[in-house]
Amino acid sequence: MKKKLNIAVLGSGFMGKAHSNAWLMAGKFFDVPFEPVLKINFGTDMELTKDFADRWGYEEITADWEEAVNRKDVDVIDIVTPTYIHKEMALAAANAGKHIFCEKPCAVTYAQAKAMADAARNAGIVHYLNHNYRRVPAVAYAKEMIERGKLGTIYHWIGTYLQDWIMDPNFPLTWHLQDKFAGGGPLFDLGSHSIDLARFLVGEIESVTAVSQTFTGERFLPGRGAATFASGESLNSEKGQVTVDDACFLMAEFENGALGSIGTTRFAGGRKNHNTFEVYGSKGSLCFNFDQMNELQFCDMTEPDADQGFKTISVTNAVHPYCSAWWAPGHVIGYENTFFHAVADFLNAVSTGKTIEPNFFDGEKITRTLEAAKLSNREGRKVKVAEINA
Amino acid sequence: MKKKLNIAVLGSGFMGKAHSNAWLMAGKFFDVPFEPVLKINFGTDMELTKDFADRWGYEEITADWEEAVNRKDVDVIDIVTPTYIHKEMALAAANAGKHIFCEKPCAVTYAQAKAMADAARNAGIVHYLNHNYRRVPAVAYAKEMIERGKLGTIYHWIGTYLQDWIMDPNFPLTWHLQDKFAGGGPLFDLGSHSIDLARFLVGEIESVTAVSQTFTGERFLPGRGAATFASGESLNSEKGQVTVDDACFLMAEFENGALGSIGTTRFAGGRKNHNTFEVYGSKGSLCFNFDQMNELQFCDMTEPDADQGFKTISVTNAVHPYCSAWWAPGHVIGYENTFFHAVADFLNAVSTGKTIEPNFFDGEKITRTLEAAKLSNREGRKVKVAEINA
Amino acid sequence: MKKKLNIAVLGSGFMGKAHSNAWLMAGKFFDVPFEPVLKINFGTDMELTKDFADRWGYEEITADWEEAVNRKDVDVIDIVTPTYIHKEMALAAANAGKHIFCEKPCAVTYAQAKAMADAARNAGIVHYLNHNYRRVPAVAYAKEMIERGKLGTIYHWIGTYLQDWIMDPNFPLTWHLQDKFAGGGPLFDLGSHSIDLARFLVGEIESVTAVSQTFTGERFLPGRGAATFASGESLNSEKGQVTVDDACFLMAEFENGALGSIGTTRFAGGRKNHNTFEVYGSKGSLCFNFDQMNELQFCDMTEPDADQGFKTISVTNAVHPYCSAWWAPGHVIGYENTFFHAVADFLNAVSTGKTIEPNFFDGEKITRTLEAAKLSNREGRKVKVAEINA
Amino acid sequence: MKKKLNIAVLGSGFMGKAHSNAWLMAGKFFDVPFEPVLKINFGTDMELTKDFADRWGYEEITADWEEAVNRKDVDVIDIVTPTYIHKEMALAAANAGKHIFCEKPCAVTYAQAKAMADAARNAGIVHYLNHNYRRVPAVAYAKEMIERGKLGTIYHWIGTYLQDWIMDPNFPLTWHLQDKFAGGGPLFDLGSHSIDLARFLVGEIESVTAVSQTFTGERFLPGRGAATFASGESLNSEKGQVTVDDACFLMAEFENGALGSIGTTRFAGGRKNHNTFEVYGSKGSLCFNFDQMNELQFCDMTEPDADQGFKTISVTNAVHPYCSAWWAPGHVIGYENTFFHAVADFLNAVSTGKTIEPNFFDGEKITRTLEAAKLSNREGRKVKVAEINA
């Protein structure tokens, strides 16, 4: 009989669903050292929270997240609330000695992220920041290929993360569109993923140069306030200021000399969750596009000229990362399964006390880079990441 | 509190896992009228069965499937055993008045499939045959488009279902390669899916003309007997006869005048689970490829010449079939989720008593068509489906 | 100064243009032993013929093809007329000792094609049948790869050649839609190409099983008679019978044991010139699609499981067939350039007296296979190619 | 009989071949008002020049370009020499009242380009700058769609132009790698194309922010000097300094508020001539990739959510720009044919005296933008194009 691990999930939206699913199911597919128990769910709207908790089988619900964090019978705090409150929750959890599983982006400022990293370090807890795309098997296999030297010296990272969900000018002023709640627009939401992947696969970023644009400067306030918006909800007739970017493009110089670009926007019509990257090295090139998340493209530059080309690998074979747990080759997996991988790895980290990545230390670096991009955009100049202080 | 529905799953392999997962999780994503309970699992190897049942949370296990079928506290029989035994199990289940959720292909002969259909009809139970690809959202949306008249008169079905898992001549003589256990090779395993999709989207098949080939005529017997082979298991030094096709290509004339082809093989290197179709009509064309299972291609022939082209629709929007239950647009789902859709629909059918499709009536027609293909191949001539008698 | 070679081109339509272009330009890109001279053009409509000849720089025109064939100062007869008259022209040319460059398909019957092959053999001339797709660099490179053993034993050919140009029921009854002029519908027009490619890359076909369908049985007669139809021309109010297939699907058993399929149709909406093939062998797989004619896909099955996948080779490198004559890697060529390759090879064949392929001997085999397909369709049975007699 | 127009082509390399081909053949496919005559070819190596001129049918050759420019019987000067000498040649040609057809990039500095534009303006000649990608039918059709309002307000340009031809550290220090001869590396060579396309489809660029990198700082000097390097030529043992970028990524703010990025590099393994763009607007999105130059992708955002997607249009239909001159739908054209389109349009411009674009006025703006990018990279800041003075 496995030891149970009690989980408090703070939040109950889209991400609450994805996390709950993963806590329940990771152990069905992976050999994990604990049986996670959905102990308690925190939400602000008690009716919605009760429905959510019933569906996913939580034992309890609460409207007081601090109470959940400080309960003796809770082992893990899973944070899926809007970004601005991550720091407060994480510090409380670290202080209570709870392990933390935290949705991205880490925080709205570098100072916050640094505080989270420091608190986690001091508390000696296991902490994980859910940049889930690292655990797409195709991406994990890209990492393996790079570590095996299949790319040689890396010259370029070309990343884009394009969406289109706020192109409608009547899309309301949700928390995502307010700097104080979100830290930034696509730069924070999508760019944090792209920067995480770039650091994972290429290395540390030394400087960034960023330009951003906001196409819709004012939007109607949502009926129930900025932080909660359900699709179809009636809008206020009042408008408020959009205080984040609608699009942010940046260029990155890596410490190892590679040159990269990252384009993020919420105004790319037809792109739903278009998270792509290309990595070019002296010996090979890799391409990934989340739209075909089970595929990785590789061009081996050590082959004869006549035979070079980009090869589409179906990363669904038992020999590929995470794939022995799943189905047969070609029986593709989906977005949600990346969360299972994260939970399985997290449970192993809790058991062994070993570090899992990305974590708040990564979040600290990513948020520092994001702040550098904001400064670069503001001042119209290249900014070294090291310029940014907490 | 939802009423519980007790499920007996007969079998515990790849498909047992996929079905168990779906029974557990369908209700988390879809509003279903019952809470399925994994009551009992039947397997032949008690050690493997116990491990399986523990992992998935079955209440009990048994080595006697008839006992499971006849238990008073079992409501649904889920059949995931090799094909040859489907009929016996289905007849027992129908006789016991249990609803049936049955993995494909239906049976090894038309006579068996007909017996299953007759038994189900007589018993008045809900019966479902798991040609799961109908419940890929992209395929379900293809059906919607056809029903909305977007294709006009249909001229063609071009289907392929290509795999490569037995190309190694050392792959052993498992039950899949023996006519008495499997009914046929890729013709039955893969062709049954393709025929199901063709009937679903185009209409009934009137005649078939088939040619098959077996490239590896003899194979080593697996250590533990034909019906159970775990990868990596040591082989006998003795060889046995392969009694099914390694590849079967067929052409189909539909009752409505459409002309189709279906190519199935297990000898298409690099094709892991390459289930594709193209449907051409007077007003539009549709293409699907399971390798990109979240996408559907559509060409609207009513557009001006200059603007015609195949459009790739990401069938992941809340307005698409099954998709409101899932994530956000572009957040793709996987193979396993098609089983959730089937379970959700099945539970609704049990609740309402309404028919769910495909079912044994479809299985009867599909198996008849498969037998027509076998006869066509044997006699080198076109065979009308109606020629085949039980 | 190169020796001149005088060319008489019989015909002045779409193919007359493509051939004239190639005669003029092949020598600019390839080192050829002759300078071809556009000596004389034959056409039935003198006004159109004059315009055509002026544009392409012919020295003369004629309304009497026999005169052109028998002129002393003509070295090569290039036949681009409707199929039914190929035999008569080819026999006259062979009798006059002229080399022949002939558009496909070879003839409307096996008997005709055999007569052409016999006449060419007896006359000892150079004869070429313009199945131009063999000379797409990607296809020529596919042949090289197969000859280097990269595919091993070949199991499958899956070919399709899909178009949509006659889907409009008001498209008139041109010569292409009349059996006596064209020999068949897409089976002859497109299927001859696909069979040529299959024979080129896989081997000889032993038997065929074919099913065809005609969706539009009657069509308006074109104003100026069946054999000449200019787009936009007014139609007669009278209708005539379509006497060819609108679609023909066939399966082929090759002498070496491979199993193949070929699907041809003019009713595949959105497919303009969709000539595709997949070849599956024990060591590798190849795919080609003329829509991306500069690309060849290859899957190397000798690679480790984790690294297998279909690789897209841009066949535009100087080391690829024909490509050193062209531009830089990635600077793609087009449809017309395949004719340049044919002319360059033909001129070399004339100079050396060596055989060029495909030629009338291939045409003989292809036409025999096409007739076998017609018989198969008519009788609803598998037909061995050897059953067909001239 | 058409009036003849005598062309002097200055240069005889890769581009000399592409231009000569176009002068000869444009009139075969398009109705043009002149018959171009290849009057004289200038080259520095008389042996190579003679071979070249013979092959393409030039009447004369010369080693003195000024003589060619000033000949009474020359009507058009076609400049295909290395970039640094464009200005001198163009000024001489303009002074002599000759029309100018000039290969890109325009010049090595903004001052030079401005001088060329001024000279052309003063001379009242027809001048054309060969950014040939505008005349890919798919790109020309993209322009048409934008002008028809199919994109609405444009938000983004995402362009890349990636190649890999100098990744080998033994690739020598040709003129392309020296700032004084080339003006820049891929920024000038490839970026000029991308900027031309961005201006063509989106509008004028207001500011740029650029970062560049040189991966191989020193290279062997080619045997015959920097400006002439034939592949396979033996290298000097001496090395020289690479004075241009190997990669340059930039971000562009357009006057109309759109935000764009352009990535150029010669170190993207597997990318041969990968010229791509994506344009995102309020009503639709367009994508182009030269690897599939006959295709244009369009996503119509005015369609219902369920039916949106990127559509691949085969821009080969008679109704598409330039396409009525070519073959049938789906019969793709190649790189070289874009030059035919340019020549046809140029000949019409000479006849009518109307402006053809792009021309030196565009070259002036593009070069100014390129210089702004160089300055931005040097100073690590955003640079307004208007900051750059001649």
Side-chain angles (χ1 to χ4, degrees), chain D residues 220-239:
Chain D
F220 291 107
L221 296 169
R224 284 187 291 182
T228 58
F229 175 73
S231 178
E233 189 181 334
S234 65
L235 300 177
N236 279 335
S237 56
E238 208 182 331
K239 282 193 170 183

Side-chain angles (χ1 to χ4, degrees), chain A residues 14 17-19 21 24-31 54-57 133 161 163 272-273 290-295 314 316-317 324-337 340, chain B residues 14 17-19 21 24-31 54-57 133 161 163 272-273 290-295 314 316-317 324-337 340:
Chain A
F14 175 97
K17 177 177 162 182
H19 286 225
N21 185 32
L24 278 186
M25 298 306 291
K28 304 295 185 201
F29 294 92
F30 294 90
D31 291 320
D54 282 352
R55 180 173 288 257
W56 290 98
Y133 294 104
Y161 201 152
Q163 299 185 335
K272 302 309 173 190
N273 193 40
F290 186 74
D291 293 328
Q292 284 89 43
M293 69 167 270
N294 293 272
E295 296 176 358
S314 175
T316 57
N317 195 300
S324 65
W326 295 108
W327 314 101
H331 292 68
V332 299
I333 65 168
Y335 168 75
E336 67 182 293
N337 302 128
F340 295 24
Chain B
F14 175 98
K17 176 177 164 183
H19 286 226
N21 185 33
L24 279 186
M25 298 306 291
K28 304 297 185 198
F29 295 93
F30 295 90
D31 290 320
D54 282 352
R55 179 173 289 255
W56 289 98
Y133 294 104
Y161 202 152
Q163 298 185 337
K272 301 309 174 191
N273 193 39
F290 186 75
D291 294 328
Q292 284 90 42
M293 69 167 270
N294 292 272
E295 297 177 356
S314 175
T316 57
N317 195 299
S324 65
W326 294 110
W327 315 102
H331 292 68
V332 297
I333 65 167
Y335 167 76
E336 67 183 294
N337 301 128
F340 295 24

